[in-house]
């Protein structure tokens, strides 16, 4: 059973990417998902949010040299956990998902369902383990 109150923020300029990631979260039982398409929307939601986001999933290219994305994510108390994907393009070092790190940096162009499941095992310990079979349609 997933924690239905986990707030998830998806930030990517590509509508298809946001939609695909949101659908994976929906398949896992998470519906408090807010997709944003640019840095300005992201900063507004994070800055003026009344409660922290349990997870931010963000394309590394969203910073476009305007923001040190890694520093922003590490030092923001409104973000409990962060996955930055396509990190190689932004020349960010790969940081694997672990209980020790608030931020995970992936060089994958887009996270897949398995990587989201592994991440959610850290974010939401109430959800089933990664080995649980989930039907994908």
């Amino acid at each position: 059973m997933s924690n239905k109150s986990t707030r998830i923020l998806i930030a990517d300029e590509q509508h298809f990417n946001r939609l695909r990631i949101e659908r994976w979260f929906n398949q896992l039982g998470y519906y408090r998902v807010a997709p944003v398409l640019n840095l300005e929307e992201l900063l507004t939601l994070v800055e003026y949010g009344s409660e922290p986001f349990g997870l931010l999933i963000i394309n590394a290219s969203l910073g476009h040299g305007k923001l040190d994305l890694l520093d922003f994510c590490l030092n923001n108390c409104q973000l409990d956990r962060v996955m930055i994907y396509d990190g190689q393009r932004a020349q960010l070092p790969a940081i694997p998902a672990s209980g020790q790190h608030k931020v995970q940096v992936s060089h994958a162009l887009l996270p897949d369902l398995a990587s989201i499941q592994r991440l959610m095992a850290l974010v939401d310990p109430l959800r089933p383990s990664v080995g649980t079979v989930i039907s994908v349609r």
Side-chain angles (χ1 to χ4, degrees):
M1 188 81 201
S2 61
N3 180 354
K4 304 274 189 227
S5 66
T6 301
R7 296 177 70 220
I8 300 167
L9 187 57
I10 301 170
D12 193 307
E13 293 175 330
Q14 299 297 317
H15 175 72
F16 175 78
N17 291 347
R18 292 189 313 269
L19 186 61
R20 187 171 193 175
I21 294 168
E22 183 175 4
R23 285 186 179 163
W24 285 329
F25 279 109
N26 293 164
Q27 287 176 7
L28 296 173
Y30 299 96
Y31 298 98
R32 291 186 70 190
V33 179
V36 298
L37 67 108
N38 59 42
L39 189 59
E40 292 76 24
E41 288 182 3
L42 168 73
L43 295 175
T44 299
L45 281 175
V46 171
E47 184 175 337
Y48 296 109
S50 59
E51 60 183 276
F53 284 92
L55 178 63
L56 166 64
I57 303 280
I58 184 169
N59 188 319
S61 67
L62 222 59
H64 295 298
K66 300 175 191 175
L67 177 71
D68 180 341
L69 195 55
L70 191 54
D71 187 55
F72 170 77
C73 293
L74 284 169
N75 296 311
N76 196 307
C77 62
Q78 286 291 92
L79 302 171
D80 292 339
R81 280 247 182 215
V82 179
M83 173 196 264
I84 302 172
Y85 60 92
D86 200 9
Q88 189 169 16
R89 182 181 302 182
Q91 299 177 340
L92 295 173
I95 302 172
S98 74
Q100 301 168 4
H101 300 289
K102 173 182 178 174
V103 177
Q104 171 191 351
V105 177
S106 170
H107 287 181
L109 296 178
L110 190 68
D112 59 10
L113 182 59
S115 65
I116 289 174
Q117 285 178 306
R118 286 189 300 273
L119 183 60
M120 292 314 292
L122 298 170
V123 173
D124 183 6
L126 298 176
R127 76 164 277 92
S129 66
V130 175
T132 303
V133 176
I134 297 174
S135 65
V136 177
R137 296 176 191 205

